[in-house]
Amino acid sequence: MITFNQWIQPTFNDESPKRLFHLKNDKQSILIMCDRMPSIIYWGKRLRDLNSSVIAVELKDNETISKEQQALLNLLQALSRPVAQGGLDDYIPLTLCPEASTGLYTSPGIEGHRSGQAWAPMFQPVSADYVESDHTEKLVCQLVDEHAQLALEITLTFYTQSGVLQKDIAVTNIGCDNYQVNKLANTLPIFEEPSQLTSFHGRWCQEMQKMVQPITRKSLLQENRRGKTSLEYFPGVIISKCEATELSGDVIGFHLAWSGNHQFMVHVETDNKRFLQANELLMPGEIILSAGMRYQAPSLYATLSSDGFNGMSHNFHHFVRSQLVKFADNTPVRPVHLNTWEGIYFDHNPTYLLQMAHKAAELGIERFIIDDGWFIGRKDDKRALGDWFVDKHKYPDGLTPIIQAVNSLGMQFGIWVEPEMISLDSELYKKHPEWLLGLDGYKQPSGRYQFVLNLQIEACFNYVFERLDALLTEYNINYLKWDMNRDLVQPAHLGVAAISKQTQQVYRLIDKLRQAHPSIEIESCASGGGRIDFEILKRTQRFWASDCNDALERQTIQRHLSYFFPPEILGTHIGAAISHSTFRQHSLNFRAVTAMFGHMGIEFDPLKSSDEEISQLKHYLSLHKQYRSLLHTGKCYRLDSIDPAQVIHAVSDSDHCIVSIAQIAMPSFSLPPMLKLAFLEPVNNYRIECIELPTNCGHLMKKWPQWLMPSILEKDDNQIALSINTNVKPMILSGELLASIGIALPILDPETAMLLKFTKQPVLS
Ligand code: DGJ
């Protein structure tokens, strides 16, 4: 009879019980060995032979081994590694918090010291508790190092419906002297097989640009030091096996839920241990724990999929929808916006706004938002931030008349704020220059001519809260566009680095405001997409994806955001025909189809539009409304294309599927590739309809694809009139044929797009 402890080589000579925990759903198994510091010994496809959540690794002598224990025994034997010559005499496993003291020559999960002491802790287990509730399986491990006088808590929470794993880590100072935390990271293993790292960089008006790098040796590092989530480095990465595609292959997505500085590292050790580490990037002295104090690191969310990048996104989307976002009216079907920024900028005039509101209502707008420029003295971006009082020169009767008009036209009212900021040219600065976040004695550069408020000063925090609270109490405001337009320089409170605490205070401010006004919805905006992350999403309902409303740039930005976020939380607006940020010109077709799938809106002055544009706009907004319950709740698919200039995106539920095909540059081939949809049900039949075609589409073809031809009406003069003929019998194909053969597409001009609709047909008995 073999007992487990006879053959597992204990790494450490301690008496602690060894237990194995199994977090799982239909698709994934995560096995965590708790002998000393817990480690994930397996993370992959569901192991069918293991069903228990807690399995004892040590058996008493002569105890009979169950089938499950035998399976575990086999697995552990298979996993037991040799020890190589030329190094330490024991195999040192990768744990959930690598410690410098163990001989794991890699980036530690915890770094810090107590006046030079306690710099290399080695923790011993105290408890490991498994709790199951409400579609979550949770493992909480408590550890302690009595020499370093530190307690560590590591928590793994597995959301079984979405397949998302949340990893948390916290350290508590159980000693008397201060302990300085330099780093506390969440560490998770990654694939041993050849893989690549996908990360996202960006800049103002060009967020979420994708970069793919092979993972070979040593470390890959991403650092954000901007003091907010940033336009530059998105706090999420994807690790995929080299053969993975959008629809197949093994992929793990990681997201650090934090709106301040961060670090992501991918390590490959000489013995091929591979892992990812993500943490808040702390400045020197930023976190000093006095006796009894605890530092909780930002949560790392991760999800593994064997169904390619789309599978990973489905898990994240499900998680965001079920766990993170709470809409005020509990409906994910989002009201269509008109935001005034690019329409009128700072030029607020209530009479004109009233006319805009009437036009907006006529178009079918459901929420009318006045952007920057409504408060006292705010005639441009050089002044007045902090003075959150309605400008009586612009609005002699306050905001009530415009809000009442907007409401009586059946629309909600929203307003722009930038609460964390202060302008030097403001009443607030005259009264409280000491509230400016900075290092005393040093000059700091302004950003967009403005500075940041130190929210750690309680009086300052209270002032900002009081102003926002007064605004929301006095007026019927349903929505705040919460902006944040500069990076932090010298962020310090009483001389001590303060990015971490400033970030926590922003969360506290929003939380307090939402507590006082539970029905308010908030958009997280930071010069566009500079504060997009899961932690801010717990307290907001929408991201402004980019200040760039150019549909061509938006195709890329929105596609890459879709790796992590479902479309209904991404603000996607139709901008002016000539983009304000790029001066490119696009048809309404391309602008509208690009904005169609997200939380749609318009970002221009409709009073300046021609009658023809207005009637087209009405058409697009009503098309969006017709399909938005599908678009805002369905499963999203990014489809690969052999033509890099073709961007295809689909949203589907059990009965319908809408597909957008955008041609973002000249087609690479003279004929477009067949459109294949591999995610529909093979046994069902689908009716295929074209619901949107670009104006003037057709001049690149002598003949249209046969299935599409009957729905196009040709004009006498050989021009194409693109009203779609709804009287003809649409084509019907099985899901199987749509996956294997697909359908031919028309040739599209660069910077145009089309929409197709697939409807499941009733099965005839
Ligand atoms: C930056 C935002 O991203 C814009 O949408 C707009 O709200 C301006 N700020 C207003 O100042």
Side-chain angles (χ1 to χ4, degrees):
M1 175 67 56
I2 307 171
T3 60
F4 282 45
N5 52 2
Q6 278 174 295
W7 53 264
I8 296 176
Q9 239 204 323
T11 315
F12 296 93
N13 260 341
D14 61 60
E15 297 299 314
S16 52
K18 293 178 180 58
R19 282 196 293 171
L20 194 123
F21 295 87
H22 185 195
L23 306 181
K24 66 216 157 304
N25 67 2
D26 295 355
K27 293 188 168 170
Q28 283 181 63
S29 281
I30 307 168
L31 291 180
I32 305 116
M33 174 66 86
C34 286
D35 47 1
R36 192 188 61 80
M37 180 61 79
S39 59
I40 290 185
I41 59 165
Y42 173 83
W43 185 12
K45 280 200 175 126
R46 174 64 201 261
L47 297 171
R48 298 288 154 196
D49 291 341
L50 298 182
N51 287 314
S52 305
S53 302
V54 186
I55 310 168
V57 176
E58 288 165 331
L59 294 184
K60 295 195 187 86
D61 278 349
N62 300 325
E63 195 175 319
T64 322
I65 289 184
S66 69
K67 220 173 134 201
E68 187 175 60
Q69 284 163 331
Q70 184 62 54
L72 174 65
L73 185 145
N74 295 345
L75 184 121
L76 290 175
Q77 255 177 341
L79 283 171
S80 129
R81 307 283 175 137
V83 176
Q85 292 289 4
L88 301 178
D89 297 332
D90 281 322
Y91 175 73
I92 313 292
L94 172 72
T95 64
L96 289 176
C97 181
E99 299 142 293
S101 53
T102 59
L104 200 62
Y105 300 105
T106 193
S107 168
I110 179 164
E111 284 182 302
H113 66 98
R114 213 185 271 289
S115 303
Q117 303 292 305
W119 63 276
M122 185 188 288
F123 293 90
Q124 297 305 324
V126 174
S127 63
D129 295 313
Y130 173 84
V131 195
E132 213 175 305
S133 68
D134 285 349
H135 307 296
T136 58
E137 297 188 354
K138 191 185 250 194
L139 172 63
V140 185
C141 303
Q142 306 283 357
L143 302 106
V144 71
D145 178 341
E146 282 170 6
H147 303 291
Q149 303 208 297
L150 295 172
L152 199 70
E153 183 179 85
I154 296 180
T155 309
L156 292 171
T157 311
F158 187 58
Y159 297 86
T160 55
Q161 288 185 314
S162 58
V164 168
L165 176 70
Q166 176 182 340
K167 163 100 199 290
D168 287 296
I169 188 162
V171 63
T172 306
N173 179 6
I174 53 171
C176 299
D177 308 328
N178 288 350
Y179 174 76
Q180 174 172 324
V181 184
N182 290 349
K183 169 183 157 190
L184 187 65
N186 274 305
T187 306
L188 285 172
I190 57 169
F191 306 122
E192 275 192 12
E193 293 80 5
S195 329
Q196 41 198 25
L197 170 74
T198 303
S199 58
F200 303 89
H201 61 95
R203 63 183 171 86
W204 181 63
C205 277
Q206 206 187 34
E207 296 83 344
M208 292 301 280
Q209 304 300 304
K210 185 160 110 175
M211 183 161 95
V212 181
Q213 291 164 280
I215 298 172
T216 50
R217 289 242 165 197
K218 302 182 187 162
S219 311
L220 294 168
L221 172 68
Q222 169 175 298
E223 274 189 359
N224 167 38
R225 293 173 180 265
R226 303 264 166 174
K228 65 181 185 210
T229 319
S230 92
L231 299 160
E232 282 74 12
Y233 300 105
F234 178 71
V237 300
I238 305 168
I239 292 179
S240 54
K241 289 194 189 161
C242 288
E243 67 282 3
T245 67
E246 283 293 357
L247 284 164
S248 67
D250 292 336
V251 174
I252 316 179
F254 295 92
H255 180 82
L256 188 74
W258 183 239
S259 314
N261 288 346
H262 75 249
Q263 239 176 3
F264 267 92
M265 274 189 260
V266 175
H267 290 279
V268 180
E269 300 300 325
T270 44
D271 62 2
N272 202 25
K273 277 191 197 89
R274 292 170 179 236
F275 62 95
L276 175 132
Q277 217 166 52
N279 54 278
E280 178 182 11
L281 175 65
L282 297 170
M283 296 292 123
E286 188 160 13
I287 302 288
I288 295 179
L289 303 180
S290 53
M293 270 178 72
R294 171 184 161 108
Y295 168 70
Q296 172 84 49
S299 301
L300 177 65
Y301 293 93
T303 192
L304 181 139
S305 154
S306 303
D307 300 322
F309 291 86
N310 280 312
M312 175 207 77
S313 299
H314 294 159
N315 294 354
F316 275 139
H317 291 192
H318 188 292
F319 176 70
V320 165
R321 285 171 171 169
S322 59
Q323 303 293 329
L324 295 189
V325 189
K326 302 277 172 284
F327 296 117
D329 50 7
N330 282 327
T331 165
V333 176
R334 309 281 64 222
V336 177
H337 281 191
L338 181 148
N339 188 58
T340 59
W341 179 239
E342 290 194 1
I344 58 167
Y345 289 104
F346 295 100
D347 194 8
H348 288 220
N349 170 336
T351 316
Y352 193 74
L353 279 170
L354 209 62
Q355 290 170 28
M356 276 178 90
H358 277 276
K359 193 50 115 190
E362 185 194 324
L363 286 172
I365 299 293
E366 295 158 317
R367 194 182 263 163
F368 187 86
I369 299 117
I370 60 165
D371 207 287
D372 197 354
W374 59 268
F375 49 101
I376 208 157
R378 183 69 168 172
K379 59 176 184 186
D380 56 28
D381 58 4
K382 295 196 172 58
R383 66 207 81 239
L385 290 169
D387 297 344
W388 302 110
F389 298 89
V390 177
D391 190 330
K392 287 288 164 82
H393 292 295
K394 291 183 182 174
Y395 295 92
D397 303 316
L399 294 176
T400 303
I402 179 73
I403 295 179
Q404 280 178 351
V406 164
N407 290 161
S408 67
L409 288 163
M411 296 180 288
Q412 295 184 2
F413 184 82
I415 198 163
W416 177 95
V417 288
E418 198 181 358
E420 296 143 74
M421 295 296 153
I422 183 165
S423 306
L424 295 190
D425 184 0
S426 67
E427 290 307 310
L428 185 65
Y429 186 74
K430 274 183 212 148
K431 281 195 205 127
H432 291 289
E434 76 283 8
W435 284 1
L436 196 145
L437 185 72
L439 270 172
D440 281 348
Y442 294 100
K443 208 171 152 24
Q444 69 162 298
S446 58
R448 208 195 184 200
Y449 316 105
Q450 64 199 48
F451 293 86
V452 182
L453 284 169
N454 181 351
L455 295 177
Q456 274 192 81
I457 300 174
E458 204 53 18
C460 172
F461 179 94
N462 290 340
Y463 165 80
V464 179
F465 173 76
E466 183 276 320
R467 280 294 79 223
L468 294 171
D469 181 50
L471 192 68
L472 298 186
T473 305
E474 183 172 355
Y475 296 113
N476 185 23
I477 294 173
N478 299 86
Y479 171 87
L480 286 182
K481 176 175 176 178
W482 186 300
D483 208 344
M484 200 288 195
N485 282 306
R486 59 158 294 170
D487 297 333
L488 273 46
V489 183
Q490 302 171 15
H493 176 58
L494 304 175
V496 177
I499 300 162
S500 190
K501 297 207 173 97
Q502 177 80 5
T503 310
Q504 296 287 3
Q505 288 294 81
V506 173
Y507 294 153
R508 188 181 144 219
L509 185 61
I510 304 178
D511 291 345
K512 193 168 172 192
L513 200 67
R514 291 185 67 230
Q515 219 172 6
H517 304 275
S519 61
I520 193 79
E521 287 205 345
I522 301 178
E523 175 179 67
S524 171
C525 169
S527 306
R531 192 147 63 189
I532 297 186
D533 62 79
F534 280 6
E535 197 55 41
I536 200 81
L537 192 54
K538 291 178 187 165
R539 24 188 81 78
T540 54
Q541 289 73 25
R542 192 185 206 248
F543 292 132
W544 185 226
S546 178
D547 270 358
C548 188
N549 289 306
D550 174 325
L552 184 60
E553 298 296 335
R554 278 293 188 129
Q555 280 286 339
T556 305
I557 295 168
Q558 290 166 201
R559 188 174 182 86
H560 295 164
L561 281 168
S562 82
Y563 283 116
F564 299 90
F565 304 102
E568 66 273 15
I569 57 159
L570 302 177
T572 54
H573 291 184
I574 304 176
I578 299 181
S579 161
H580 288 206
S581 45
T582 63
F583 290 100
R584 278 196 200 111
Q585 184 160 3
H586 288 126
S587 63
L588 191 50
N589 153 273
F590 191 51
R591 287 179 283 145
V593 173
T594 303
M596 182 81 64
F597 285 62
H599 185 172
M600 197 179 185
I602 69 170
E603 186 87 20
F604 60 87
D605 178 359
L607 294 173
K608 304 228 165 73
S609 300
S610 66
D611 290 348
E612 197 194 335
E613 276 166 347
I614 290 292
S615 85
Q616 283 180 17
L617 207 52
K618 280 184 190 164
H619 157 74
Y620 286 115
L621 296 189
S622 83
L623 198 64
H624 168 76
K625 287 181 188 171
Q626 191 180 342
Y627 296 114
R628 75 179 150 182
S629 62
L630 163 63
L631 299 175
H632 290 175
T633 59
K635 263 190 169 177
C636 305
Y637 292 88
R638 291 170 303 272
L639 301 187
D640 291 316
S641 172
I642 195 90
D643 177 0
Q646 202 184 37
V647 177
I648 311 178
H649 178 76
V651 182
S652 132
D653 65 11
S654 53
D655 293 326
H656 303 93
C657 173
I658 304 282
V659 182
S660 146
I661 299 133
Q663 191 70 46
I664 58 168
M666 195 64 180
S668 307
F669 303 94
S670 58
L671 291 183
M674 298 289 282
L675 175 73
K676 295 183 184 173
L677 302 184
F679 51 86
L680 298 176
E681 292 166 43
V683 291
N684 288 318
N685 284 326
Y686 292 87
R687 189 176 77 224
I688 307 164
E689 292 158 278
C690 176
I691 55 172
E692 172 63 17
L693 268 175
T695 320
N696 293 333
C697 172
H699 68 96
L700 291 168
M701 291 175 285
K702 289 182 190 151
K703 289 186 181 169
W704 285 77
Q706 228 177 49
W707 73 269
L708 191 56
M709 205 172 61
S711 59
I712 306 293
L713 303 172
E714 281 201 34
K715 271 189 191 167
D716 286 351
D717 58 3
N718 240 355
Q719 275 191 324
I720 307 299
L722 291 163
S723 48
I724 292 158
N725 185 352
T726 45
N727 296 324
V728 289
K729 212 173 147 201
M731 181 165 73
I732 295 191
L733 273 188
S734 70
E736 186 182 35
L737 286 183
L738 279 166
S740 53
I741 296 177
I743 52 169
L745 292 175
I747 305 172
L748 297 181
D749 284 320
E751 297 169 33
T752 65
M754 65 185 287
L755 291 176
L756 298 179
K757 177 180 163 194
F758 298 76
T759 312
K760 188 160 98 186
Q761 297 303 284
V763 181
L764 299 177
S765 52

